[in-house]
Amino acid sequence: MNVLSAVKRMLVGRRLANTQLGETLLPKRIALPVFASDALSSVAYAPDEILITLSLAGMAGFMFSWQVGLAVGVVIAVVVMSYRQTVHAYPSGGGDYEVAKVNLGRHAGLTVASALLVDYVLTVAVSVSAGVINAKAMFPFLEGYEAVTAAVVIALLMIVNLRGVRESGGAFALPTYVFMGSMLSMIGIGLFRIFVLGQDLMSETADLTVVRPDGAEEVAGWALIAILARAFSSGCAALTGVEAISNGVPAFKPPKSRNAARVLAMLGALAITMLLGIITLANLTRVHLIDELTGTHYIDAAGQTIHSAATTVTGQLARVVFMDWFAPGFYVVITATMLILFLAANTAFNGFPALASILAKDAYLPRQLHSRGDRLAFSNGIVALAVSAIVLVLVFNASVTALIQLYVVGVFISFTLGQIGMIRHWTVALRDEDEPAKKSRMKRSRIINIVGASLTGLVLIVVLVSKFTHGAYLALVAMGAMYALMLAISNHYRAVEEEVALTSDSDRALPSRVRSVVLVQRVNLPTAKAIAFARATRPTTLTAVAVAIDDEQVERILDEWEAEDFGIPLKVISSPYREITGPFIKFVSELRTENPRDVVSVYIPEYVVGHWWEQLLHNQTALLIRTRLHFMTGVMVTSVPYQLRSSGARRDRARKATETRVRR
Amino acid sequence: MNVLSAVKRMLVGRRLANTQLGETLLPKRIALPVFASDALSSVAYAPDEILITLSLAGMAGFMFSWQVGLAVGVVIAVVVMSYRQTVHAYPSGGGDYEVAKVNLGRHAGLTVASALLVDYVLTVAVSVSAGVINAKAMFPFLEGYEAVTAAVVIALLMIVNLRGVRESGGAFALPTYVFMGSMLSMIGIGLFRIFVLGQDLMSETADLTVVRPDGAEEVAGWALIAILARAFSSGCAALTGVEAISNGVPAFKPPKSRNAARVLAMLGALAITMLLGIITLANLTRVHLIDELTGTHYIDAAGQTIHSAATTVTGQLARVVFMDWFAPGFYVVITATMLILFLAANTAFNGFPALASILAKDAYLPRQLHSRGDRLAFSNGIVALAVSAIVLVLVFNASVTALIQLYVVGVFISFTLGQIGMIRHWTVALRDEDEPAKKSRMKRSRIINIVGASLTGLVLIVVLVSKFTHGAYLALVAMGAMYALMLAISNHYRAVEEEVALTSDSDRALPSRVRSVVLVQRVNLPTAKAIAFARATRPTTLTAVAVAIDDEQVERILDEWEAEDFGIPLKVISSPYREITGPFIKFVSELRTENPRDVVSVYIPEYVVGHWWEQLLHNQTALLIRTRLHFMTGVMVTSVPYQLRSSGARRDRARKATETRVRR
């Protein structure tokens, strides 16, 4: 990399994604949209899920939307306050994973990691599904094809990410601000029209009555409480994405922690405002949202079963607020919602390499994911992420309601473990701290985290109880599988590390001499190069070895060898069964046995080719021999590459595959 | 391989297959079954095909079976006599391929090779299909499942051959002699009962009348001639396998050529006897064989369309000759026929490596097929052969009648080109020969080959004309594809050979010094081993290089390095973007640029692991670096393997994979 391109790289825009571990620093006005998109996008579907779940209690259910929304708002507030402690205490950006690992041990850390990995997949599945459902408001022909459309969108995101296009801050900022602006405008204008102008805005589902699956009008007692609990659990999906800021602290401008905490606060305020605003407006405009897959259905005033095209709360509110006043507003809201949801999915694709890098550093994933050299490994991860999300979307038919059941449990597992970790963090810090002012601040932080842990723990229990049979068990199974896999990888790396550790007992004897052997298959340029390189190392002995598989070939090699006069002897090994590998290995093995204190260096000419099919035609015997020699102690194998003309193109491809790409 | 196992290998039974290029020599009594099984097995289905084709002419067609059989017999006699010339002139066993290549040029040779390869697939498909149809006589429940059964049999043959079990002479001899004996007995006993005992033996289809597809009673003129030509072409399938002896001359005991010629003569006599004997008996017992897929059907005396269970001529004859006299005889004949057909298919699997070896030697196939070290490459070929045969069997529903249409054309292409090649061979030899006795013998041989070439050429034209639209075009397409592929491979190898040839212009400068670089990722045993090996070579300069991807790691490496005191300097390259590959490649590149006359030797520690999944966890960065370095001139890459404990099992597997296996 020359100076010019290094400078160019530095000047290239803002190369950040949500979970970037700090190359270019963000001012708060860029950081907010970068980190908020993930969190705010979940506000796009949380109200829907609340209402849909409440509809299971019939018309009466909708009356509880206030309370449920408020409860979710409280949780948001508490979680935000708790995370403000985390960003101060762990400015390195490890997030819940680091907090749990450092304070509660590797198993807690691994649990959080498993939950995070599974949630990446669900983020993609849920966000894209929600985006498609919102799109239906503008493109009604998508009806019936939601799952396929979602799968196609995920595939497109996968392709975009495989090409390595990274999101720049600008790509985030605009759609997020438009989303925030249009949603807040929608809420504001809606409330203005109702309360100031006194208009009677009714949503398109206002006149429809919801009939419960079993037909009964109402439900009460434990059944009602169960439904409220489920609605609350679904509504807590609004919290997904809040933790992203704790992962991204190093990306902020100094003072990093304080800026991160401020953005967290802004985010919390925005989320609560938008959530409660939408629910309020939904109540006032009598939005009755159902999902017919849950068994509920609409009947009209005449008692006829009716089918409404209304799909989301946002869609209904935007229509009733804007359509007669300023129609473009409707389209802006829907489009911005769609975009922010797809952006949130894209964030998952970008976040994966960063998370994988952290986990690989701790030896829970293959080590090459820690460094960025191997784009192929990350590509595999991106493909795995996309395929898993597509499978989920197809299996659950892009139903956000169904997917949410899996989504929330992972989020709250990592919240709770993170909070408990923070409690322990403050406890340990208090032991070593003497200054009273600091101590009291720590105690205050600890109280906040205790409240946070209790609340998220309670929510986790509610989520588990209310959603286990509805799909949460699937998420737990997936988390368990990831946990087991990462543990196995970690144990493997530990075992190997022990095996290869340099200890006082290790054999540090230096071999005395080097005996070199050059494999001769034909007398040509690659062989001549191998002999020349081998001679340059001035070994103690240098022997060229050819294996005779038929007489014609041996004659030719001997003639050509004499003509060339390489100055070293050519040993011809007979091979009655026309094998090259066996006799050659035997020769090297005998050389080792005769000279146990020396090291044998085997030189093998290798053709460097341009196309994949050329690989089938060359180097096969060389590969076999190298593989067999690898199992022999005291032997090293040297490839002497000879670059064929066709290899030029592949050289460039190989360089591109191992360099990180940057988009302006 | 120690002396004991070498001796053991020599003593191990007869390791031969049909196309073995001479390890253990065969006496004639073993050679006959070994080489005859392929040729005689086609006598098992040739009469069927003659009768089935003749049935298209209605009842009158069967009257021509004598003449058709006689014509085929004549062709057999001529071809056998022609091949007796070939085995004398080319005792090296190249067969038609060698004859065509040497005498008519590489394109003729390639044509024969393509025909041979395609015919291997068809041999498997036809033989197994015919075997299954014969089996139906004993296992009527196979009706309707012929294609699946055939596919399963082919799969079993594939598995047996993948395990490397080679046929020993004994495995061939018994079934072949039983087949010959039972068939000749059947013919003999049948004729005895009819002519000596005066019994009126009638087959089970004797009373059935065959109705032609269009319902007309008879056919005459050109239509009849066309049917006769097609019947003759199908009957010529009896010739498949005759050429095997010309490939196997080296396997005979000396005098090789004369013994091979004698066995050819015996084979020819047997084949003609069996063919004419079966047709005679079929005529006398009024066998009316049809294949309802061709559109013909049976009606009984009352004119009702009837469905007969009779499937093969052999089945009908065995039943009528043996059932009332000596029932086991029926089962022996059917079983022996089945076995010899499956044996013939197995021969194709065994013959492939030998043919591939010859073609690879001439650079028409990947070179590693010439030596036997790579069992994997041969395994790929065996799988390809089996899959192609299974596809054919499924597509054509195991119909021997349909498959024969593809089969015969390839056989006669190689016959004809082989004969023409022999004509040219004698012509050239005559120019250089002076002794009159030898000259007249050569002229006589030439006449035989001229007759042979004319006849096989004529048959080829008849086959092409009569069968082109019935399926022969498919075989020609396949041959064309193989031809194109092998030509492309050959051209590629030629181009590469030119590129890498040592000429007077080639650069023979020896590099002056060696600068070694050791890649350090961790300070452990593999790294220590790499450093020790690198030091043993006493390079001009030796530098250990570590790439710093995070500060923690760098600190640790530096500490451990100082503790170990390897005595060489450790250079740490910074990497701001957490890549290992890029900075390391850059370092090596700069080293080369600064020292253009020296060679750089890069040492990379490699973990040798036992299980495939372990490969995903280790050596990935090493592999990337090696690949990039391959494109740099003046650099050689040395792997210093460190064998982990788990690698023991894989070492044994690797050894087995590259050794040829021998069955006792």
Side-chain angles (χ1 to χ4, degrees):
Chain A
M1 215 192 315
N2 58 40
V3 174
L4 186 60
S5 51
V7 169
K8 189 160 126 183
R9 251 187 150 174
M10 290 302 273
L11 291 177
V12 162
R14 301 192 187 285
R15 286 199 295 149
L16 293 175
N18 271 10
T19 48
Q20 185 63 271
L21 290 178
E23 254 102 338
T24 320
L25 304 179
L26 301 172
K28 289 199 293 298
R29 71 179 184 285
I30 302 283
L32 176 60
V34 168
F35 292 111
S37 67
D38 203 354
L40 292 181
S41 67
S42 48
V43 173
Y45 48 78
D48 297 55
E49 295 308 311
I50 293 175
L51 290 183
I52 287 171
T53 316
L54 287 175
S55 75
L56 291 169
M59 296 300 285
F62 294 116
M63 299 196 305
F64 293 96
S65 59
W66 283 104
Q67 292 90 312
V68 172
L70 211 58
V72 174
V74 165
V75 177
I76 294 177
V78 169
V79 166
V80 163
M81 282 202 291
S82 306
Y83 268 102
R84 280 165 61 92
Q85 313 309 314
T86 308
V87 299
H88 278 288
Y90 287 89
S92 56
D96 286 327
Y97 168 68
E98 194 180 339
V99 171
K101 184 186 69 165
V102 166
N103 291 295
L104 301 175
R106 65 191 286 247
H107 290 285
L110 211 44
T111 310
V112 173
S114 311
L116 287 174
L117 286 173
V118 170
D119 267 0
Y120 266 120
V121 177
L122 281 160
T123 299
V124 173
V126 171
S127 300
V128 171
S129 300
V132 165
I133 287 173
N134 271 288
K136 275 206 302 186
M138 285 201 308
F139 309 115
F141 57 82
L142 288 176
E143 177 75 38
Y145 298 103
E146 296 93 345
V148 171
T149 315
V152 167
V153 171
I154 295 173
L156 287 172
L157 284 173
M158 175 184 83
I159 292 169
V160 160
N161 278 280
L162 282 177
R163 298 190 71 76
V165 171
R166 304 194 60 137
E167 301 157 345
S168 60
F172 267 116
L174 190 63
T176 309
Y177 278 124
V178 168
F179 174 73
M180 287 196 285
S182 58
M183 288 293 253
L184 292 171
S185 308
M186 179 180 80
I187 296 167
I189 292 173
L191 293 173
F192 178 74
R193 288 180 69 175
I194 293 175
F195 287 120
V196 175
L197 300 184
Q199 292 176 354
D200 189 25
L201 297 176
M202 285 295 131
S203 76
E204 62 204 84
T205 52
D207 295 329
L208 300 175
T209 308
V210 172
V211 178
R212 294 182 57 250
D214 56 12
E217 272 289 315
E218 297 210 0
V219 68
W222 285 115
L224 178 65
I225 291 179
I227 289 175
L228 291 177
R230 283 167 60 187
F232 170 70
S233 309
S234 292
C236 282
L239 276 95
T240 58
V242 169
E243 76 286 352
I245 295 182
S246 69
N247 290 335
V249 177
F252 285 83
K253 277 200 158 86
K256 294 172 189 265
S257 295
R258 201 179 326 168
N259 285 331
R262 281 202 189 127
V263 168
L264 251 176
M266 287 194 279
L267 170 63
L270 272 165
I272 295 174
T273 308
M274 283 166 63
L275 179 71
L276 291 180
I278 290 176
I279 289 182
T280 306
L281 207 54
N283 257 341
L284 292 170
T285 60
R286 296 231 283 267
V287 167
H288 303 136
L289 184 68
I290 66 168
D291 184 341
E292 283 172 357
L293 290 171
T294 60
T296 49
H297 61 273
Y298 290 122
I299 56 173
D300 62 7
Q304 297 293 326
T305 301
I306 203 173
H307 193 79
S308 165
T311 48
T312 59
V313 172
T314 314
Q316 296 191 39
L317 291 181
R319 192 180 294 277
V320 75
V321 167
F322 285 119
M323 247 344 181
D324 53 346
W325 259 32
F326 179 62
F330 167 78
Y331 297 103
V332 168
V333 169
I334 298 299
T335 310
T337 307
M338 250 174 66
L339 281 182
I340 204 156
L341 285 163
F342 294 153
L343 259 183
N346 196 37
T347 301
F349 280 104
N350 270 286
F352 167 74
L355 177 63
S357 174
I358 297 172
L359 291 173
K361 181 175 167 190
D362 290 340
Y364 289 125
L365 288 179
R367 260 198 286 260
Q368 68 268 24
L369 295 174
H370 181 41
S371 70
R372 283 224 220 97
D374 194 352
R375 288 201 67 76
L376 179 64
F378 287 116
S379 299
N380 287 343
I382 287 171
V383 170
L385 179 58
V387 166
S388 314
I390 288 177
V391 166
L392 274 178
V393 153
L394 293 175
V395 166
F396 287 93
N397 208 27
S399 159
V400 177
T401 309
L403 287 167
I404 288 282
Q405 316 300 327
L406 286 74
Y407 196 13
V408 193
V409 61
V411 169
F412 278 87
I413 284 178
S414 58
F415 278 172
T416 310
L417 283 173
Q419 295 303 307
I420 295 175
M422 285 302 295
I423 296 173
R424 185 166 156 70
H425 168 84
W426 295 125
T427 308
V428 167
L430 275 169
R431 263 185 254 150
D432 304 326
E433 186 62 48
D434 296 318
E435 213 194 295
K438 283 192 181 155
K439 284 185 80 160
S440 69
R441 269 203 301 272
M442 286 183 189
K443 283 187 182 168
R444 195 182 51 126
S445 299
R446 189 169 65 167
I447 288 175
I448 293 176
N449 284 121
I450 290 174
V451 171
S454 314
L455 188 58
T456 55
L458 184 66
V459 173
L460 176 61
I461 292 171
V462 171
V463 166
L464 280 173
V465 166
S466 62
K467 290 194 181 307
F468 191 83
T469 49
H470 292 96
Y473 72 95
L474 282 173
L476 290 173
V477 164
M479 279 181 228
M482 293 294 327
Y483 182 99
L485 178 67
M486 291 197 281
L487 196 61
I489 292 176
S490 170
N491 287 340
H492 171 84
Y493 274 130
R494 283 188 176 199
V496 170
E497 221 171 284
E498 257 182 52
E499 201 183 327
V500 302
L502 273 170
T503 62
S504 45
D505 301 330
S506 299
D507 174 21
R508 287 180 175 64
L510 293 178
S512 47
R513 286 175 296 204
V514 176
R515 300 183 179 277
S516 295
V517 175
V518 179
L519 173 68
V520 174
Q521 290 183 277
R522 273 162 286 283
V523 181
N524 53 17
L525 277 172
T527 302
K529 186 174 176 185
I531 292 172
F533 279 24
R535 288 173 81 171
T537 66
R538 290 181 180 63
T540 307
T541 62
L542 172 57
T543 318
V545 173
V547 180
I549 53 175
D550 65 61
D551 304 326
E552 217 182 291
Q553 167 227 21
V554 173
E555 286 291 321
R556 197 175 59 233
I557 289 184
L558 284 171
D559 290 342
E560 292 172 347
W561 189 268
E562 296 218 12
E564 282 299 323
D565 191 31
F566 286 113
I568 59 173
L570 175 68
K571 184 166 172 53
V572 175
I573 307 177
S574 67
S575 171
Y577 300 108
R578 244 193 306 129
E579 305 180 62
I580 297 181
T581 322
F584 187 77
I585 299 299
K586 182 166 151 248
F587 174 82
V588 174
S589 176
E590 283 166 359
L591 192 58
R592 273 284 299 146
T593 321
E594 290 160 16
N595 308 285
R597 290 226 47 196
D598 302 337
V599 66
V600 174
S601 184
V602 178
Y603 291 81
I604 300 182
E606 252 187 64
Y607 292 72
V608 183
V609 296
H611 310 100
W612 63 269
W613 46 267
E614 287 178 286
Q615 296 272 32
L616 297 172
L617 301 176
H618 299 282
N619 298 329
Q620 295 300 315
T621 307
L623 194 61
L624 276 175
I625 290 178
R626 167 201 297 282
T627 307
R628 289 280 299 274
L629 286 176
H630 268 181
F631 292 101
M632 218 181 279
T633 56
V635 175
M636 49 184 174
V637 182
T638 303
S639 312
V640 183
Y642 186 88
Q643 293 89 9
L644 292 177
R645 280 191 292 264
S646 67
S647 64
R650 193 160 144 264
R651 179 191 59 226
D652 300 328
R653 285 203 300 277
R655 190 189 307 136
K656 287 196 186 125
T658 55
E659 279 180 0
T660 45
R661 250 165 287 159
V662 170
R663 192 190 90 167
R664 228 168 300 187
Chain B
M1 213 191 317
N2 58 36
V3 175
L4 187 61
S5 51
V7 169
K8 188 161 125 180
R9 255 184 145 177
M10 291 300 276
L11 290 177
V12 163
R14 304 191 184 284
R15 286 199 296 148
L16 293 174
N18 273 11
T19 48
Q20 184 64 273
L21 289 178
E23 256 101 343
T24 321
L25 304 178
L26 301 172
K28 289 200 293 297
R29 72 179 184 285
I30 301 284
L32 176 60
V34 168
F35 292 111
S37 67
D38 203 354
L40 291 181
S41 67
S42 47
V43 173
Y45 48 79
D48 296 56
E49 294 309 309
I50 292 175
L51 290 183
I52 287 173
T53 314
L54 286 175
S55 76
L56 290 171
M59 295 302 285
F62 293 116
M63 296 192 312
F64 292 96
S65 58
W66 282 104
Q67 291 90 313
V68 173
L70 211 59
V72 174
V74 165
V75 178
I76 293 177
V78 170
V79 167
V80 162
M81 282 200 293
S82 307
Y83 267 102
R84 281 166 60 94
Q85 313 309 318
T86 309
V87 299
H88 279 290
Y90 286 89
S92 57
D96 286 327
Y97 170 67
E98 194 178 339
V99 171
K101 185 185 69 163
V102 167
N103 291 296
L104 301 175
R106 67 191 284 244
H107 290 285
L110 212 43
T111 310
V112 172
S114 309
L116 287 173
L117 285 173
V118 170
D119 268 357
Y120 265 122
V121 177
L122 282 160
T123 299
V124 173
V126 171
S127 300
V128 171
S129 299
V132 165
I133 287 173
N134 271 286
K136 274 205 303 186
M138 284 204 306
F139 308 116
F141 58 82
L142 288 176
E143 177 76 40
Y145 297 102
E146 295 93 344
V148 171
T149 315
V152 167
V153 170
I154 296 174
L156 287 173
L157 285 172
M158 175 184 84
I159 291 170
V160 161
N161 278 278
L162 282 177
R163 296 190 74 77
V165 171
R166 305 195 58 138
E167 300 156 348
S168 61
F172 267 117
L174 190 60
T176 309
Y177 278 124
V178 169
F179 175 71
M180 288 196 284
S182 58
M183 287 294 254
L184 292 171
S185 308
M186 179 179 82
I187 295 169
I189 292 174
L191 294 173
F192 178 73
R193 288 180 66 175
I194 292 176
F195 286 121
V196 174
L197 298 184
Q199 292 176 351
D200 189 25
L201 295 179
M202 283 295 130
S203 77
E204 60 205 86
T205 53
D207 293 329
L208 300 176
T209 307
V210 173
V211 179
R212 294 182 57 249
D214 56 12
E217 271 291 310
E218 299 210 0
V219 67
W222 285 115
L224 179 63
I225 291 179
I227 288 174
L228 291 178
R230 283 167 60 189
F232 169 71
S233 308
S234 293
C236 283
L239 276 96
T240 57
V242 168
E243 76 285 356
I245 294 181
S246 70
N247 290 336
V249 177
F252 285 82
K253 278 197 155 88
K256 293 174 190 262
S257 294
R258 203 184 319 173
N259 285 331
R262 281 203 190 126
V263 168
L264 250 176
M266 286 194 280
L267 172 62
L270 271 165
I272 295 174
T273 307
M274 283 167 63
L275 178 72
L276 291 180
I278 289 177
I279 288 181
T280 305
L281 206 55
N283 258 343
L284 291 170
T285 59
R286 297 230 281 267
V287 168
H288 301 134
L289 186 66
I290 66 167
D291 184 341
E292 283 173 356
L293 290 172
T294 59
T296 50
H297 61 272
Y298 289 121
I299 56 174
D300 61 8
Q304 296 294 323
T305 300
I306 203 172
H307 193 79
S308 166
T311 48
T312 59
V313 173
T314 314
Q316 296 191 39
L317 292 179
R319 193 181 293 275
V320 75
V321 167
F322 284 121
M323 248 343 184
D324 52 347
W325 259 31
F326 179 61
F330 168 78
Y331 297 103
V332 168
V333 170
I334 299 296
T335 308
T337 307
M338 251 173 65
L339 281 181
I340 204 157
L341 284 164
F342 293 154
L343 259 182
N346 196 36
T347 302
F349 280 105
N350 270 287
F352 168 74
L355 177 64
S357 176
I358 297 171
L359 292 174
K361 182 175 166 191
D362 291 339
Y364 289 124
L365 288 178
R367 262 199 285 260
Q368 68 268 23
L369 294 174
H370 180 42
S371 69
R372 283 221 220 100
D374 193 352
R375 289 201 64 77
L376 180 63
F378 287 117
S379 298
N380 287 343
I382 287 171
V383 170
L385 178 58
V387 166
S388 314
I390 288 178
V391 166
L392 275 178
V393 153
L394 292 175
V395 166
F396 287 93
N397 208 28
S399 160
V400 176
T401 310
L403 287 166
I404 287 283
Q405 318 298 328
L406 285 75
Y407 197 12
V408 193
V409 60
V411 170
F412 277 87
I413 284 178
S414 59
F415 279 171
T416 309
L417 283 173
Q419 296 303 308
I420 296 175
M422 285 304 294
I423 296 173
R424 184 165 158 68
H425 168 86
W426 296 124
T427 307
V428 168
L430 274 170
R431 264 187 253 150
D432 304 326
E433 188 60 48
D434 296 318
E435 211 193 299
K438 282 195 182 154
K439 282 185 84 160
S440 68
R441 269 204 302 271
M442 285 185 190
K443 283 187 181 169
R444 193 183 50 132
S445 298
R446 191 169 65 168
I447 288 175
I448 292 176
N449 283 123
I450 289 174
V451 172
S454 313
L455 188 59
T456 54
L458 184 67
V459 173
L460 178 61
I461 292 171
V462 171
V463 166
L464 279 173
V465 167
S466 62
K467 291 194 180 306
F468 190 84
T469 49
H470 291 97
Y473 72 96
L474 281 174
L476 291 173
V477 165
M479 280 180 228
M482 292 296 328
Y483 182 99
L485 179 66
M486 291 196 282
L487 195 63
I489 290 176
S490 169
N491 288 339
H492 170 84
Y493 274 129
R494 284 189 177 200
V496 169
E497 220 171 286
E498 257 182 53
E499 201 182 323
V500 301
L502 272 171
T503 63
S504 45
D505 302 333
S506 299
D507 174 20
R508 286 180 176 67
L510 292 178
S512 48
R513 288 177 293 204
V514 176
R515 298 182 180 277
S516 295
V517 174
V518 180
L519 172 68
V520 173
Q521 290 183 276
R522 271 162 287 285
V523 180
N524 52 17
L525 276 171
T527 303
K529 187 175 175 186
I531 292 171
F533 279 24
R535 288 174 81 172
T537 67
R538 290 179 179 66
T540 307
T541 62
L542 172 57
T543 319
V545 173
V547 180
I549 54 175
D550 63 62
D551 304 325
E552 217 182 292
Q553 167 227 20
V554 173
E555 288 290 320
R556 196 174 60 231
I557 289 183
L558 285 170
D559 290 341
E560 291 170 348
W561 190 267
E562 296 217 11
E564 282 301 322
D565 190 29
F566 286 112
I568 60 173
L570 174 68
K571 183 167 172 55
V572 176
I573 307 176
S574 67
S575 172
Y577 300 105
R578 245 194 305 127
E579 306 179 62
I580 296 181
T581 324
F584 188 77
I585 298 298
K586 182 164 152 251
F587 174 81
V588 174
S589 174
E590 284 167 359
L591 193 57
R592 271 286 297 146
T593 321
E594 289 161 19
N595 306 288
R597 289 228 47 195
D598 303 336
V599 66
V600 175
S601 183
V602 179
Y603 291 81
I604 300 181
E606 251 186 66
Y607 291 73
V608 182
V609 296
H611 309 102
W612 63 269
W613 45 266
E614 287 177 288
Q615 296 272 34
L616 298 172
L617 300 176
H618 299 282
N619 298 329
Q620 295 301 315
T621 308
L623 193 62
L624 277 174
I625 290 178
R626 168 201 297 283
T627 308
R628 290 280 298 274
L629 286 176
H630 269 180
F631 293 101
M632 218 181 279
T633 55
V635 175
M636 50 182 174
V637 183
T638 304
S639 313
V640 183
Y642 185 88
Q643 294 89 9
L644 292 177
R645 280 190 291 264
S646 68
S647 64
R650 195 159 143 265
R651 178 189 57 226
D652 299 328
R653 285 203 300 276
R655 188 187 310 134
K656 287 199 187 121
T658 55
E659 279 179 0
T660 46
R661 249 164 287 157
V662 169
R663 191 189 90 168
R664 227 167 300 189

